[in-house]
Amino acid sequence: MARPVLEPGAVIDGFRLDAVVHRGGMSDLWRVTRAGDETPLLMKVPLIKEGADPAAVVSFEMEQMIMPRLGGPHVPTFIAAGDFAVQPYIVMERIEGQSLLPHLKHLPLPYDVVAALGVKIATALDALHRQHVVHLDVKPSNIMLRPTGDAVLLDYGLAHHAQLPDLMQEEFRVPFGTAPYMSPEQLKGNRSDPRSDQFALGVLLYFFSTGVRPFGEGETLRAMRRRLWRDPEPPRKLRADYPPWLQEIVLRCLEIEASWRYPTAAQLAFELSHPELVKLTQRSERTQRDPFTVVLRRRFNTDLTAPRKRTDAAEQVSTAPIVAAAVDLAADVSLNEALRSTTARILATLPAARLACLNVNKVHRLAIDTTLDVAGQSKQVDRLVRLRHWAEPLKLDGSRLTVHVLEAVDPADAILDFVRGNRVDHVLIGARDPSLMRSLLGSVSAKVAAEAPCSVTIVRPS
């Protein structure tokens, strides 16, 4: 069957081609419309011609397989796909927004702007990883921001889906990606580790906050392989005012060994959202690259150059959840001990989990609340200290524990807002003894259990 002619006005499977909006090296993007459908649509058509790169066809096959399985605000909505026997294409939602490319004209960006962008992108990556997908081509041109502020990840031609055949890995023996953003494990042939996307985001954060790419522009495999043993210049060497907390986060994302990075993109988003709680290590203080002796050890360390086993992004996310323990400091000792005991049992099975201890300082809707107690001490500081005291027996490393005092008229709403805003996976909350007031108005634990978008465990003393 003859292929349809791709020109303005042509109709393919009910989609009318209006105009080309982008011509790329591997595909063209057309603005299209469909009768009776007011959704803004985009058609992606691969370039299949004499001398075309075979990888372009295979990557398009991958994208056709992966996109129908994705959902949520962080991916374009899939509409339809065309058969290779007639005309291959993908029709998807046309995102009303801007990519990050315009930001490149204004680098370096303010640190708070970089952190805010990082939160949005890390949140989008976490949503993708929970759907068993590693993107493997995170870069400014593949990220758009919706009018709502949500980041959208584009282009799944190089992506890996844990539940689908990886045609790119099966048919080719060279690494694929965008050179400045490729992780060390990608260069070694591992396409299944979700922390590869975290490395690429680290490159983007470094670039947007310094104006310099951490590993330069070299695109040869030899140049790219240097990042297997050579660390980048610390951002503080490039900008003296670089915040230590941001350097701590960026350099952790750029660690050569994936296991030294954050366990999940959700935990990275959490750090970027709470810079005042970032635990600083010697990473934050560095102004020089690693000494040559360290580089040599890395160069000949076969553990760093050996390929890693295939992993499932969603399974890896499930082993490193963000757990929130809502601690009522005014509750009975027995209830808080039961809550701590339950928290300890859960964390014992999840060594990469992160714990956020929450307490809500209930404020009045109309009356003016004081911030000091009768002894003249800060109520917030007192609660923070008591939360840390509650968590002390758990013996968690500082990088796995944060404490938060929230202020709200409704404690349940405050907890729910924190859970939604920080992509918490599991909430632990104590149930107070029943009373007439609670039976009439409803308890905090009941409301959290009913409305939280995650698992909730309600604890009672034995």
Side-chain angles (χ1 to χ4, degrees):
M1 184 181 294
R3 292 189 183 276
V5 177
L6 301 178
E7 60 183 19
V11 178
I12 302 175
D13 296 340
F15 296 100
R16 184 182 186 278
L17 278 62
D18 291 338
V20 175
V21 297
H22 176 74
R23 292 195 183 276
M26 301 173 73
S27 61
D28 288 343
L29 294 176
W30 286 80
R31 187 174 67 248
V32 298
T33 53
R34 180 168 58 176
D37 189 347
E38 297 183 0
T39 305
L41 300 175
L42 206 62
M43 178 183 283
K44 185 174 185 177
V45 182
L47 299 178
I48 303 175
K49 55 187 178 182
E50 181 63 34
D53 186 351
V57 176
V58 175
S59 70
F60 198 83
E61 286 184 275
M62 291 293 302
E63 193 161 21
Q64 281 191 326
M65 288 194 298
I66 290 173
M67 282 202 67
R69 293 171 173 253
L70 300 179
H74 303 293
V75 297
T77 301
F78 172 82
I79 305 296
D83 198 306
F84 269 86
V86 183
Q87 175 60 62
Y89 64 79
I90 297 172
V91 176
M92 68 192 86
E93 164 198 13
R94 177 160 50 90
I95 307 298
E96 300 290 346
Q98 280 196 333
S99 79
L100 298 191
L101 283 177
H103 287 296
L104 301 185
K105 301 175 184 177
H106 309 291
L107 300 185
L109 300 180
Y111 300 124
D112 59 337
V113 173
V114 173
L117 286 172
V119 172
K120 296 176 188 295
I121 300 166
T123 300
L125 288 172
D126 177 63
L128 190 67
H129 296 163
R130 291 171 188 266
Q131 298 179 68
H132 308 280
V133 177
V134 186
H135 191 279
L136 297 175
D137 200 19
V138 175
K139 57 184 178 180
S141 59
N142 282 342
I143 302 167
M144 294 191 71
L145 297 178
R146 293 185 186 273
T148 60
D150 290 323
V152 182
L153 301 169
L154 311 175
D155 197 344
Y156 294 88
L158 300 183
H160 169 91
H161 195 301
Q163 298 176 345
L164 294 172
D166 191 340
L167 303 182
M168 295 298 290
Q169 192 159 48
E170 291 173 2
E171 299 187 29
F172 303 100
R173 291 295 177 267
V174 294
F176 284 93
T178 302
Y181 297 88
M182 286 178 68
S183 69
E185 57 273 16
Q186 276 179 267
L187 295 171
K188 295 179 286 185
N190 184 348
R191 290 175 33 82
S192 65
D193 196 321
R195 292 167 297 191
S196 295
D197 289 340
Q198 191 183 125
F199 183 92
L201 177 52
V203 173
L204 189 151
L205 295 175
Y206 186 111
F207 184 30
F208 275 33
S209 58
T210 66
V212 178
R213 287 195 172 94
F215 302 103
E217 305 286 346
E219 295 191 3
T220 66
L221 187 57
R222 180 179 179 182
M224 289 189 290
R225 283 185 66 83
R226 291 195 194 103
R227 71 192 64 168
L228 294 178
W229 53 82
R230 197 34 155 156
D231 57 316
E233 299 278 9
R236 289 185 63 196
K237 183 176 181 180
L238 305 177
R239 300 187 68 183
D241 67 339
Y242 205 89
W245 63 267
L246 186 55
Q247 175 159 304
E248 177 73 33
I249 292 172
V250 170
L251 291 186
R252 185 171 178 183
C253 290
L254 295 178
E255 287 284 4
I256 294 169
E257 178 61 47
S259 63
W260 300 341
R261 301 173 206 150
Y262 290 94
T264 65
Q267 291 200 24
L268 168 57
F270 189 97
E271 290 269 281
L272 287 165
S273 299
H274 304 281
E276 73 284 359
L277 299 177
V278 174
K279 183 184 179 185
L280 302 181
T281 69
Q282 67 179 74
R283 286 191 199 97
S284 67
E285 303 170 359
R286 293 175 55 194
T287 56
Q288 299 295 327
R289 300 164 90 179
D290 287 330
F292 192 61
T293 52
V294 173
V295 175
L296 275 179
R297 282 200 300 271
R298 284 202 198 107
R299 176 68 179 85
F300 297 104
N301 182 352
T302 55
D303 284 344
L304 286 178
T305 56
R308 297 294 190 263
K309 66 179 182 179
R310 178 169 168 153
T311 56
D312 183 327
E315 289 180 6
Q316 188 160 320
V317 168
S318 69
T319 64
I322 296 176
V323 178
V327 183
D328 184 351
L329 296 172
D332 292 339
V333 173
S334 59
L335 177 57
N336 281 335
E337 286 181 349
L339 182 62
R340 184 169 52 226
S341 177
T342 303
T343 303
R345 287 199 300 274
I346 291 174
L347 294 180
T349 64
L350 299 166
R354 180 180 197 125
L355 177 66
C357 297
L358 313 180
N359 176 259
V360 182
N361 179 23
K362 187 174 180 180
V363 297
H364 298 89
R365 195 180 300 274
L366 298 176
I368 299 175
D369 294 281
T370 61
T371 60
L372 303 179
D373 60 21
V374 293
Q377 303 296 319
S378 167
K379 293 179 181 179
Q380 182 178 18
V381 171
D382 176 65
R383 287 170 183 251
L384 289 171
V385 171
R386 292 168 66 192
L387 276 178
R388 289 201 175 274
H389 179 72
W390 178 88
E392 224 172 70
L394 299 173
K395 300 188 184 306
L396 294 178
D397 178 83
S399 63
R400 294 181 59 201
L401 171 69
T402 52
V403 296
H404 310 263
V405 174
L406 315 175
E407 289 197 346
V409 173
D410 185 329
D413 284 342
I415 294 169
L416 290 167
D417 286 345
F418 184 91
V419 167
R420 297 186 188 106
N422 292 281
R423 299 190 67 81
V424 171
D425 299 283
H426 194 162
V427 179
L428 304 172
I429 186 169
R432 300 283 293 272
D433 292 334
S435 68
L436 176 61
M437 186 67 72
R438 292 192 187 92
S439 65
L440 292 174
L441 301 180
S443 68
V444 173
S445 58
K447 183 173 181 178
V448 171
E451 299 182 21
C454 63
S455 300
V456 178
T457 298
I458 298 179
V459 179
R460 293 184 183 278
S462 55

